[in-house]
Amino acid sequence: MVQIEGCIRSASVEEIEFAKSDSPLDKQTAITNSILREIRALSGVDIQTFEQVSAYLLENPQHDQEISRIFQESGYLYFWQIDVQKNPWHYDSEAFLALDVPRSQKIEVANAQRDSAENQLKQFQFMHIQYMQLWQKMQLQYFALEIALYLKLIELTKSRVAAAEYVLANA
């Protein structure tokens, strides 16, 4: 056994506040679980995923309005606003460039942000296509809500890519 000295330090005020703040992932999980629980109660079917919601609605379009209401009231469709508010530099080139961190760290973060955003962009574009195809089969409000959500997520993710590329070009 080797003892390592000096590997623990006191947290800063900012780090303590961050640790005490609500976790967006916990909040998103709670919203998702609430949506699925309400849909199970409405449908009487063991629905565990949003893909199952779509399949259920194709077979039971009479529940479109109620399921759409559940989504609208849950906050799920506007969850993206949390990141925009907490991390405006993700989406704003000048704010990203102005971050008060060493240049090498800024470049490292910009590379990671760009790569992450490019991967997310592919996922969001895929989901948008999937919901467009579902909407073409059956023009349900739920599919229209998901299409609008994914269009917004695509727009925001393109802003993330652009902000990161701007930093990489100008840092």
Side-chain angles (χ1 to χ4, degrees):
M1 178 188 287
V2 176
Q3 185 171 350
I4 300 174
E5 299 293 329
C7 62
I8 298 176
R9 67 170 174 79
S10 296
S12 69
V13 172
E14 292 84 13
E15 290 168 330
I16 292 169
E17 288 301 314
F18 178 79
K20 290 181 177 179
S21 68
D22 290 338
S23 164
L25 290 178
D26 289 346
K27 189 178 251 184
Q28 185 175 22
T29 299
I31 288 172
T32 300
N33 289 340
S34 174
I35 289 169
L36 294 172
R37 187 172 36 256
E38 286 189 54
I39 293 172
R40 284 191 295 271
L42 170 72
S43 67
V45 176
D46 185 25
I47 294 175
Q48 298 292 325
T49 67
F50 290 159
E51 290 81 10
Q52 291 174 321
V53 172
S54 296
Y56 176 79
L57 280 170
L58 287 172
E59 298 295 322
N60 301 278
Q62 70 275 15
H63 290 148
D64 179 43
Q65 294 297 317
E66 186 63 18
I67 288 175
S68 295
R69 181 197 60 76
I70 290 168
F71 269 84
Q72 289 170 313
E73 291 178 0
S74 71
Y76 174 82
L77 298 172
Y78 305 102
F79 196 77
W80 55 266
Q81 292 174 346
I82 292 172
D83 192 56
V84 171
Q85 291 169 352
K86 283 187 136 185
N87 301 297
W89 59 272
H90 285 180
Y91 308 93
D92 182 312
S93 301
E94 291 296 333
F96 197 161
L97 190 60
L99 285 177
D100 189 22
V101 297
R103 180 180 180 275
S104 62
Q105 185 179 355
K106 197 177 297 185
I107 290 170
E108 184 179 325
V109 169
N111 274 313
Q113 283 288 322
R114 183 198 55 215
D115 293 348
S116 171
E118 286 176 345
N119 286 332
Q120 267 194 326
L121 185 58
K122 289 174 189 170
Q123 293 170 341
F124 293 156
Q125 289 170 330
F126 175 79
M127 292 305 297
H128 176 257
I129 290 167
Q130 295 301 305
Y131 282 111
M132 285 296 294
Q133 290 172 347
L134 288 168
W135 188 83
Q136 288 169 351
K137 285 183 185 179
M138 195 173 291
Q139 288 76 43
L140 299 179
Q141 181 183 2
Y142 171 75
F143 299 146
L145 291 171
E146 290 283 13
I147 289 166
L149 171 62
Y150 280 101
L151 283 174
K152 184 64 178 179
L153 294 175
I154 289 166
E155 172 192 332
L156 289 168
T157 305
K158 285 180 178 179
S159 294
R160 286 182 56 210
V161 170
E165 287 179 344
Y166 181 83
V167 168
L168 291 169
N170 294 289

